Amino acid sequence: MKAKDFDRKFDDGEDVTGVLYLSKARRSGHDQRRVNVDFPTWMIASLDREASHLGVTRQSIIKIWLAERLEQTHSGRGGHTGRNAQG
């Protein structure tokens, strides 16, 4: 399908998902990088208890709490959350 046809269908409110390769879709600025962090044993146990209580993984609870903290920190300063920051 040509871009102009796609744009017209999209603008007219037609369903264009059939022509998209959704399995290859990526959100800009949401690339992931792996990091290693060492935590004390007591902290891992606490994280695991909380994750189990919420029904999520340890990694999920760490991501959620870090995102919440970063948003609190940056919203108090009027800055952006740094989600698209590099480095």
Side-chain angles (χ1 to χ4, degrees):
M1 173 180 297
K2 294 187 177 196
K4 67 179 182 177
D5 295 331
F6 179 89
D7 290 343
R8 182 189 48 76
K9 287 178 180 262
F10 181 82
D11 291 341
D12 290 345
E14 294 182 38
D15 182 9
V16 294
T17 56
V19 297
L20 300 176
Y21 296 103
L22 297 178
S23 64
K24 298 182 184 278
R26 298 286 182 257
R27 291 180 65 187
S28 177
H30 288 262
D31 298 331
Q32 294 192 12
R33 291 178 53 190
R34 181 171 302 276
V35 297
N36 294 315
V37 181
D38 295 327
F39 292 109
T41 304
W42 67 267
M43 194 177 292
I44 292 172
S46 182
L47 287 166
D48 287 346
R49 277 192 303 276
E50 187 64 22
S52 178
H53 175 72
L54 295 174
V56 298
T57 64
R58 180 192 306 153
Q59 180 174 342
S60 294
I61 198 74
I62 292 169
K63 286 180 177 181
I64 291 166
W65 284 353
L66 284 174
E68 287 174 354
R69 180 57 185 238
L70 289 170
E71 288 191 17
Q72 287 173 359
T73 300
H74 290 286
S75 66
R77 294 184 197 153
H80 75 52
T81 61
R83 289 185 177 184
N84 292 325
Q86 299 293 320

